[in-house]
């Protein structure tokens, strides 16, 4: 299912605990499709609690780990955990103009995802607009505005680093439909953005006036996050901080209660020159507040538009049920509805929300369902279920030579060596054909 989620067949699939099986019982085999966090965490939990289970993990790329490898931002390796095969579209006029990109494609570009290696985003404008108020939106803003010497210390791709070195972007607006109390980013990412060297935050005091009382009774994480925004917007910085901010060559800001109506074209009709935004008011409060258009509009000039409004999974196969509205495989604790022995995990199970710890707990939940089903005897663990032995024969008959984990270790060693020569943790190989040549395929 790719990095956004994992599904697997439980026929001969997975286990309970070693003591649940007699010595004569066939050993269960598990096939995990997708080597992202969801796949690995599920496999880990099953192997930990079942000494006899055998797990085969399948991945479409020549390298494992899904969006742990190709995830959020190269300067945040500890939180790389965003997946799903596709992005949500804006559904507005002009979103196909040059200069408009999905967050997924842009993140894939600077993280070396092979399918996005030829994106070549035009960074010749001064102002970029990011639609969305989540961590991915902040990640992109930080990458666009970070000093190059900081990015050079990460595993960002050489091509992306070269493009960012020539970037003219010095201003980034992050636009959201709702207000400060509904932002989806976390305090760690916000604090890092506020303290980004050479960059000043631009928050409109009017957006935060009177919010001090409104946050008194909200959960502590939301309270601390909002208080940091209020402090940044309303408190006058000290004399030294004023001097530092005045000298900062770059800036970023949050714009609230604005919904994209159209991407505006240049005179020749080819490129983006701005976005028309519909102003909104909120009905309701807290996380359930809805943004409703007021009828007023405004235009924001920008030459780069990045849509970070969420991701979605894609249907896998007609045999696997799929809820197109919610973008998930219908399931109960990971058990796919109507298909005994089939399970799912990750974003394809619950929708595109959460970070690495969410995925881990979610995967353990699915793995537990498999273990329970094995203990109850509802899975077919017949010895005729050969696992990779049968799949390998099919691949061989088709002339397909799979990449093994030891092959990956050769690619890994080459990337680390190239990175060391450049003073980086690694230099990712972004061309799958180059990866295959490296391992002699």
């Amino acid at each position: 299912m790719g990095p956004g989620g994992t599904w697997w067949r439980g026929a001969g699939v997975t286990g309970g605990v070693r003591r649940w099986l007699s010595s004569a019982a066939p050993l269960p085999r598990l096939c995990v499709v997708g080597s992202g966090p969801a796949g690995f965490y599920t496999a880990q939990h099953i192997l930990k609690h079942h000494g006899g289970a055998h797990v085969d993990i399948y991945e479409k790329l020549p390298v494992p780990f899904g969006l742990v490898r190709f995830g959020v931002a190269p300067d945040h390796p500890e939180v790389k955990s965003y997946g799903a095969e596709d992005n949500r579209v804006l559904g507005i006029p002009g979103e196909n103009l040059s200069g408009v990109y999905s967050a997924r494609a842009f993140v894939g570009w600077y993280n070396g995802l092979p399918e996005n290696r030829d994106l070549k985003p035009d960074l010749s404008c001064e102002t970029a607009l990011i639609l969305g108020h989540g961590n991915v939106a902040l990640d992109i803003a930080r990458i666009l505005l970070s000093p190059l010497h900081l990015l050079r210390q990460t595993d960002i791709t050489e091509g992306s680093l070269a493009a960012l070195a020539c970037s003219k972007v010095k201003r980034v607006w992050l636009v959201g439909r709702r207000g400060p109390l509904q932002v989806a980013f976390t305090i760690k990412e916000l604090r890092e953005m506020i303290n980004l060297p050479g960059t000043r935050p631009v928050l409109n005091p009017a957006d935060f006036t009177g919010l001090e009382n409104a946050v008194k009774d909200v959960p502590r994480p939301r309270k601390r996050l909002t208080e940091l925004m209020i402090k940044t917007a309303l408190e006058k910085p000290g004399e030294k901080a004023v001097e530092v901010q005045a000298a900062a060559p770059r800036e970023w800001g949050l714009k609230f209660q604005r919904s994209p109506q159209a991407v505006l074209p240049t005179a020749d009709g080819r490129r983006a020159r701005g976005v028309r935004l519909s102003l909104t008011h909120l009905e309701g409060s807290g996380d359930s507040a809805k943004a409703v258009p007021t009828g007023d509009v405004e235009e924001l000039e920008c030459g780069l538009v990045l849509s970070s409004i969420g991701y979605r999974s894609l249907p896998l196969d007609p045999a696997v049920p799929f809820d197109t509205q919610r973008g998930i495989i219908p399931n109960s604790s990971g058990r796919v509805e109507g298909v005994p022995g089939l399970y799912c995990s990750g974003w394809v199970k619950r929708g595109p929300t959460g970070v690495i710890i969410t995925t881990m707990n979610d995967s353990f939940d699915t793995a537990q369902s498999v273990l329970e089903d094995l203990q109850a005897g509802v899975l077919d663990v017949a010895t005729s279920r050969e696992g990779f032995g049968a799949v390998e024969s099919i691949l061989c008959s088709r002339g397909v030579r799979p990449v093994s984990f030891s092959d990956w270790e050769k690619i890994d060693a080459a990337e680390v060596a190239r990175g060391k020569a450049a003073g980086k943790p690694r230099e990712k190989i972004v061309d799958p054909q180059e990866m295959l040549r490296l391992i002699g395929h």
Side-chain angles (χ1 to χ4, degrees):
M1 200 58 206
T6 297
W7 67 273
W8 56 91
R9 178 65 69 177
V13 178
T14 23
V17 177
R18 189 193 302 252
R19 66 176 180 272
W20 293 351
L21 300 174
S22 71
S23 57
L27 298 179
R29 302 191 69 102
L30 165 70
C31 161
V32 174
V33 180
S35 68
F40 269 101
Y41 277 130
T42 306
Q44 176 198 27
H45 189 81
I46 288 166
L47 291 171
K48 180 179 178 181
H49 294 287
H50 190 300
H54 187 99
V55 181
D56 299 322
I57 301 180
Y58 295 85
E59 167 61 46
K60 66 180 179 180
L61 292 172
V63 291
F65 309 132
L67 291 196
V68 169
R69 173 180 167 97
F70 302 117
V72 184
D75 58 343
H76 277 197
E78 76 285 359
V79 294
K80 289 187 175 186
S81 62
Y82 292 82
E85 286 284 281
D86 203 3
N87 52 275
R88 289 173 56 197
V89 296
L90 292 167
I92 60 173
E95 71 176 299
N96 295 319
L97 289 169
S98 177
V100 182
Y101 308 94
S102 72
R104 184 182 185 277
F106 196 76
V107 170
W109 168 70
Y110 63 62
N111 270 319
L113 187 62
E115 67 188 69
N116 300 127
R117 67 185 188 274
D118 298 322
L119 192 69
K120 295 183 174 60
D122 186 346
L123 305 178
S124 62
C125 61
E126 289 192 354
T127 302
L129 188 151
I130 303 174
L131 296 165
H133 278 168
N135 279 342
V136 175
L138 278 187
D139 284 340
I140 293 171
R142 196 177 63 252
I143 294 298
L144 284 171
L145 298 176
S146 283
L148 283 175
H149 74 272
L150 296 180
L151 291 178
R152 286 195 181 100
Q153 299 166 20
T154 74
D155 70 355
I156 192 170
T157 63
E158 187 180 6
S160 305
L161 191 60
L164 288 164
C166 300
S167 171
K168 298 289 191 294
V169 176
K170 63 179 184 180
R171 183 182 305 105
V172 177
W173 296 115
L174 294 100
V175 177
R177 292 178 298 110
R178 300 192 293 171
L181 291 173
Q182 288 80 34
V183 296
F185 47 73
T186 49
I187 193 167
K188 177 181 180 291
E189 278 66 27
L190 176 64
R191 186 179 292 116
E192 187 172 357
M193 198 68 206
I194 290 170
N195 297 324
L196 190 64
T199 308
R200 64 177 172 272
V202 181
L203 301 185
N204 185 353
D207 290 328
F208 300 92
T209 305
L211 277 191
E212 293 96 333
N213 291 328
V215 296
K216 282 182 179 175
D217 299 321
V218 301
R220 188 167 181 268
R222 171 71 67 187
K223 184 171 186 282
R224 290 176 61 233
L225 173 65
T226 309
E227 286 173 346
L228 178 56
M229 287 190 284
I230 292 170
K231 180 181 178 183
T232 306
L234 300 181
E235 281 193 10
K236 293 204 182 319
E239 191 175 326
K240 187 173 181 182
V242 169
E243 290 177 11
V244 170
Q245 287 197 4
R250 297 175 296 278
E251 64 182 15
W252 67 277
L254 299 170
K255 290 189 178 290
F256 300 100
Q257 292 180 228
R258 285 159 170 82
S259 180
Q261 217 177 50
V263 180
L264 306 172
T266 50
D268 63 9
R270 295 181 180 177
R271 287 194 49 77
R273 66 166 177 85
V275 176
R276 181 183 299 120
L277 300 165
S278 168
L279 274 59
T280 67
H281 71 271
L282 297 186
E283 292 185 355
S285 60
D287 290 340
S288 61
K290 295 274 189 293
V292 180
T294 64
D296 295 327
V297 298
E298 71 174 21
E299 294 184 1
L300 244 177
E301 285 190 24
C302 57
L304 177 64
V305 181
L306 294 148
S307 169
S308 183
I309 59 169
Y311 299 79
R312 67 187 181 101
S313 297
L314 295 175
L316 178 74
D317 183 273
V320 181
F322 191 77
D323 183 334
T324 53
Q325 290 290 97
R326 299 166 64 200
I328 63 167
I329 294 175
N331 71 91
S332 174
S333 295
R335 296 177 178 92
V336 176
E337 291 180 7
V339 191
L342 192 65
Y343 302 82
C344 59
S345 183
W347 283 10
V348 79
K349 171 187 174 185
R350 70 177 186 277
T353 57
V355 290
I356 197 74
I357 190 71
T358 328
T359 296
M360 181 181 75
N361 290 329
D362 169 82
S363 301
F364 290 171
D365 171 68
T366 294
Q368 199 58 39
S369 294
V370 179
L371 294 170
E372 290 169 5
D373 289 354
L374 186 80
Q375 184 185 29
V378 299
L379 297 180
D380 177 3
V381 293
T383 52
S384 61
R385 304 284 181 149
E386 297 178 51
F388 182 64
V391 174
E392 188 174 28
S393 299
I394 296 170
L395 294 175
C396 187
S397 70
R398 296 177 181 176
V400 176
R401 182 180 167 190
V403 175
S404 67
F405 197 81
S406 59
D407 288 333
W408 148 245
E409 290 176 325
K410 294 175 189 172
I411 298 170
D412 180 43
E415 290 185 340
V416 171
R418 293 181 188 189
K420 188 176 181 181
K424 300 167 62 178
R426 78 170 58 237
E427 183 61 57
K428 288 178 189 163
I429 299 168
V430 297
D431 182 354
Q433 294 306 313
E434 185 180 352
M435 295 178 191
L436 296 179
R437 286 194 298 271
L438 189 69
I439 57 179
H441 271 43

